[in-house]
Amino acid sequence: MATFLVLIPPGAKSQDEDARIIRDRFSWIAFFLPYLWLLWHRAWLAAALVFAIEALGAAIIDHSVFGLAGLGLCFATNLLVALEGPTVIVADLKRRGWAVDAVISAPDRETAEEIYYMDIMAGEPETRRNVSLPASETSGRRHAPMLGLVGFKEG
């Protein structure tokens, strides 16, 4: 089961149809193409920082003694971008005023979307089970709904 965060735009009510669903996982595209991935997600400063670190790594690669350290620096930078990619997207959206509306546990993105939008059609968001999230994840809300195949008892 994967975990998906559902974020809604600023000023939108809970369960907005313009919500973005982001999977919390390793990003292969961010690993192999970190600059393009960061620029695609409008993370300009992070892209500049990654470029500077990898330029330093490329300069070290030419050194006869520390060449392997430069290669390791480039690899570690790509790995860090790939592991923290979804966090960068969520942080950027939250900086622009988006809020976490739900956390969904589902096997794939299609199922997560289906669960989220079926809940919209039901029109009963109060009947969902809640799971606590850190205060930084909820943007003013103490709880975000947990949807999916995992049940939680309140109380």
Side-chain angles (χ1 to χ4, degrees):
M1 290 293 237
T3 303
F4 296 86
L5 288 174
V6 180
L7 291 103
I8 55 174
K13 294 182 179 178
S14 182
Q15 298 183 334
D16 190 88
E17 290 198 19
D18 293 326
R20 287 195 57 189
I21 298 176
I22 299 169
R23 183 176 181 184
D24 188 18
R25 66 174 173 94
F26 182 87
S27 174
W28 286 104
I29 296 171
F31 181 73
F32 288 112
L33 303 168
Y35 311 120
L36 294 177
W37 190 88
L38 288 167
L39 293 175
W40 176 262
H41 291 289
R42 293 183 233 142
W44 316 116
L45 293 176
L49 179 65
V50 167
F51 180 78
I53 291 171
E54 291 203 356
L56 175 66
I60 294 173
I61 286 174
D62 291 336
H63 194 275
S64 61
V65 177
F66 300 110
L68 196 54
L71 183 63
L73 181 64
C74 292
F75 179 79
T77 303
N78 286 10
L79 186 63
L80 181 65
V81 170
L83 288 172
E84 294 300 323
T87 306
V88 171
I89 297 170
V90 170
D92 181 52
L93 288 172
K94 286 168 52 175
R95 182 183 54 80
R96 290 189 275 152
W98 290 59
V100 175
D101 187 40
V103 178
I104 301 172
S105 177
D108 58 17
R109 183 183 175 85
E110 284 184 34
T111 307
E113 287 180 9
E114 201 173 296
I115 291 169
Y116 185 69
Y117 290 114
M118 280 176 38
D119 199 50
I120 290 174
M121 300 305 262
E124 299 174 356
E126 295 82 20
T127 62
R128 297 180 294 181
R129 307 278 190 229
N130 290 334
V131 63
S132 291
L133 287 177
S136 63
E137 293 292 322
T138 58
S139 181
R141 291 174 59 182
R142 295 198 70 107
H143 298 281
M146 177 70 173
L147 307 173
L149 303 175
V150 180
F152 291 92
K153 292 187 178 180
E154 301 211 15

